[in-house]
Amino acid sequence: MDGDEQFRHEVRDWLAANVTDGLRGIGGPGRENEAYPQRLAFTRRLAAAGWTCLAWPVAYGGRGASLARQVIFHEEYARSGAPSRVDHIGTTMVGPTLIALGTERQRRRFLPRIAAVDELWCQGYSEPGAGSDLAGVTTRARRDGDHWVISGQKVWTSLAHVADWCFVLARTEAVPDGAPRHAGLSYLLVPMHQRGVTVRPIRQLTGDSEFNEVFFDDARTEDHLVVGEPGQGWRVAMATLGFERGAATVGQQIGFQRDLDDLAALARRTGALTDPVLRERIARAWVELSVLRAHTLRALAGPPTAGTASEIKLLWSRWRRGLGELAMVVLGPAGAAADPGDEEVQRWRRLFLFSRADTIYGGSDEIQRTVVAERVLGLPRQDRG
Ligand SMILES: Cc1cc2nc3c(=O)[nH]c(=O)nc-3n(C[C@H](O)[C@H](O)[C@H](O)COP(=O)(O)OP(=O)(O)OC[C@H]3O[C@@H](n4cnc5c(N)ncnc54)[C@H](O)[C@@H]3O)c2cc1C
C-alpha cells in the first residue's frame, strides 16, 4: 500500500469511528443553521485530530498535505456523510490569506484559533450598492490613534450571526486622480463582539437565515490588524477569493453525485421514469457531472490558467440549479404543495430553492462569463462605466 492509500485508510478509519448516526448528513447548502451546536462540536473534534487545515504549512498548525491527499480527504469526508463543517470561511479563506500575505504577528494571533475552530469568521465584502461591482464599497475606515474606526453597511454576510471576526473591505483613502477605483481600499480584521457592530438576519427563500446585514457604527479594530499595506486591500481581497474552493470542490461534487443518485432512486419509486424526456434529463445530468469532475481534477492537477475557476463555477452552479429544477419535475405537484412533515420532499424543495443562489454568490454567472470572454477569448473589455 503506498503512502496515499495509507492516508486514505487513516481518514476513513477516523471518520468511521467519529461520524455517528445522529451526525450523518446534517447541515449543507440552505441548511447552515441545522444542528449547529452538534456540527460545531464535530468540527472541533475534526480540528483536534488535525484534519481541518490539511493544506496549511506544518509551522502554522497544518499538515502541509499534497493536493492528492487533500482530494482524498475531501472525497472520503463526503462519502462518509459527515456533517457539513462550520469552519470553512476561517480555514479556507482568511487562514490561507494570512499565511500568504499577513504579518507574523497576525499569523500568530489568528491561525492557531482558526485551526482549532475556537474563532469563527465571516466575509464582509458585499454592500447594498457593491456586489459584482465590489470596487464600489463605501464602508469607510479612518485611523484614530492606534485604532481603525469603521462605519458602513455590509450585506449577505454568511454566518455573521455566529462569527467572532469579520474580514472587512473598506475604503481608507480617496481614489487618487487617474487611479483605478479599487485603489485606496484596505482589508481589515474586525472583531464582531463589540458595541459598534450590529447583525440583522435576512430571511431567505428557504425560510432559513444563513446570511445577514451587518452594520458598523464606529466599530473599532487595532491598527496592526490591516492585512497588506493600508490602501492596498484589493490585492488581498482577490487573493482570498482565489483560495475559496480548491480541493474541497471535489468533495462538493461527491455530494452532487449522491444527490443525483438519490433523485434517480426517487424517480424510480414514483414511476416518473416512464417519461422518456425525464429519463434523458437524468442521464444528461449524469454525463454533465462526469465532465465537471474530470475538468475539476484536471484543473487542480495542472498549473492555474486564466478563466479556469470561472469555467468550474459556471459548470457547477448551472449543474446544481438544473438538479433542483429536475427534482421539482420528478416530484410533480407534491413539490409545490410541500407537506412540511414530508422530509424527503422538503429536502428537494430546499435544494431547488437554495440552488437559485448558486448562480449569484462567489461571482454571478454573468460575471464569470465576462471573465471567460475577456481573459480566455480575448474579446473586447466590457464598458464598466
Ligand atoms: C447565499 C449567498 C451567500 C453570500 N455570502 C456572502 C458573504 O458571506 N459575504 C459577502 O461579502 N457577500 C456574500 N454574498 C453576496 C454575493 O457575493 C453577491 O450577491 C454577488 O457578488 C452579486 O452581487 P449583488 O447581489 O450585489 O448583485 P449585483 O452585482 O447587483 O448584480 C445583479 C445582477 O446583475 C448582473 N450584473 C452585475 N454586473 C454585471 C455586469 N458587469 N455585466 C453583466 N451582468 C452584471 C449580475 O450577474 C446579477 O444577475 C452572498 C450571496 C449569496 C446569494
Side-chain angles (χ1 to χ4, degrees):
M1 189 164 25
D2 71 8
D4 286 350
E5 265 317 289
Q6 204 168 332
F7 177 79
R8 188 183 290 281
H9 280 279
E10 200 191 323
V11 177
R12 220 179 257 173
D13 290 347
W14 191 91
L15 290 166
N18 287 278
V19 182
T20 48
D21 278 350
L23 290 172
R24 209 158 278 125
I26 53 177
R31 294 151 59 206
E32 285 294 350
N33 290 314
E34 187 176 283
Y36 188 83
Q38 289 92 317
R39 287 169 46 228
L40 175 62
F42 179 82
T43 313
R44 285 184 172 151
R45 264 213 322 278
L46 200 65
W51 297 117
T52 46
C53 301
L54 290 180
W56 292 16
V58 175
Y60 295 122
R63 291 199 186 202
S66 65
L67 187 66
R69 290 194 183 185
Q70 294 171 48
V71 168
I72 288 171
F73 175 80
H74 288 292
E75 281 177 351
E76 292 302 325
Y77 193 88
R79 280 194 191 116
S80 74
S84 158
R85 286 164 56 173
V86 303
D87 61 322
H88 60 282
I89 300 178
T91 50
T92 68
M93 295 180 84
V94 71
T97 305
L98 294 178
I99 291 168
L101 300 167
T103 61
E104 202 47 40
R105 184 176 179 187
Q106 290 165 354
R107 293 178 188 138
R108 276 204 311 274
R109 162 63 186 81
F110 291 109
L111 294 177
R113 291 173 173 104
I114 293 173
V117 199
D118 276 345
E119 286 178 342
L120 296 162
W121 285 78
C122 62
Q123 177 191 17
Y125 282 13
S126 305
E127 299 183 359
S132 307
D133 182 23
L134 188 57
V137 296
T138 59
T139 293
R140 290 187 173 275
R142 63 179 165 83
R143 268 188 202 271
D144 177 22
D146 53 5
H147 279 81
W148 292 97
V149 180
I150 304 120
S151 306
Q153 185 198 340
K154 297 293 174 180
V155 73
W156 322 126
T157 320
S158 299
L159 302 173
H161 54 294
V162 288
D164 303 294
W165 287 83
C166 182
F167 50 96
V168 174
L169 191 62
R171 181 153 292 287
T172 48
E173 297 158 27
V175 183
D177 272 350
R181 278 189 320 139
H182 58 250
L185 297 172
S186 297
Y187 187 106
L188 298 158
L189 310 176
V190 181
M192 292 293 281
H193 306 299
Q194 57 169 309
R195 226 187 16 233
V197 176
T198 308
V199 176
R200 283 199 206 136
I202 300 173
R203 188 153 189 263
Q204 287 160 255
L205 202 58
T206 52
D208 201 5
S209 295
E210 173 261 357
F211 54 31
N212 306 270
E213 294 178 292
V214 180
F215 298 87
F216 296 98
D217 298 301
D218 289 343
R220 298 176 85 82
T221 198
E222 292 171 35
D223 63 354
H224 60 95
L225 295 183
V226 57
V227 184
E229 292 301 311
Q232 305 288 316
W234 185 256
R235 189 170 78 92
V236 186
M238 292 303 110
T240 301
L241 294 180
F243 291 125
E244 195 171 353
R245 289 213 169 260
T249 312
V250 175
Q252 181 195 37
Q253 290 169 9
I254 287 175
F256 289 177
Q257 185 68 58
R258 195 168 39 232
D259 285 338
L260 181 59
D261 292 345
D262 290 351
L263 187 63
L266 176 70
R268 222 175 274 128
R269 281 203 308 280
T270 60
L273 284 181
T274 50
D275 176 353
V277 175
L278 186 65
R279 292 163 69 96
E280 193 197 306
R281 282 181 71 175
I282 292 176
R284 200 183 314 143
W286 188 88
V287 172
E288 285 168 359
L289 185 55
S290 302
V291 171
L292 170 59
R293 287 201 66 193
H295 188 55
T296 306
L297 288 171
R298 193 170 55 105
L300 281 171
T305 49
T308 306
S310 293
E311 287 163 23
I312 292 174
K313 171 78 208 305
L314 274 168
L315 287 171
W316 79 251
S317 65
R318 299 186 72 74
W319 189 88
R320 189 156 62 182
R321 203 176 66 177
L323 187 75
E325 288 162 3
L326 196 52
M328 290 303 105
V329 175
V330 169
L331 286 171
D339 169 3
D342 187 333
E343 209 8 77
E344 172 133 49
V345 175
Q346 288 300 337
R347 167 190 173 182
W348 295 113
R349 267 173 63 91
R350 243 182 342 243
L351 191 147
F352 168 65
L353 293 172
F354 190 81
S355 65
R356 312 310 294 177
D358 290 336
T359 54
I360 302 171
Y361 66 83
S364 70
D365 275 18
E366 289 79 6
I367 298 300
Q368 307 296 352
R369 278 195 291 267
T370 299
V371 171
V372 172
E374 293 179 358
R375 296 197 204 149
V376 183
L377 301 175
L379 298 182
R381 270 178 65 79
Q382 186 188 52
D383 178 8
R384 293 182 176 83

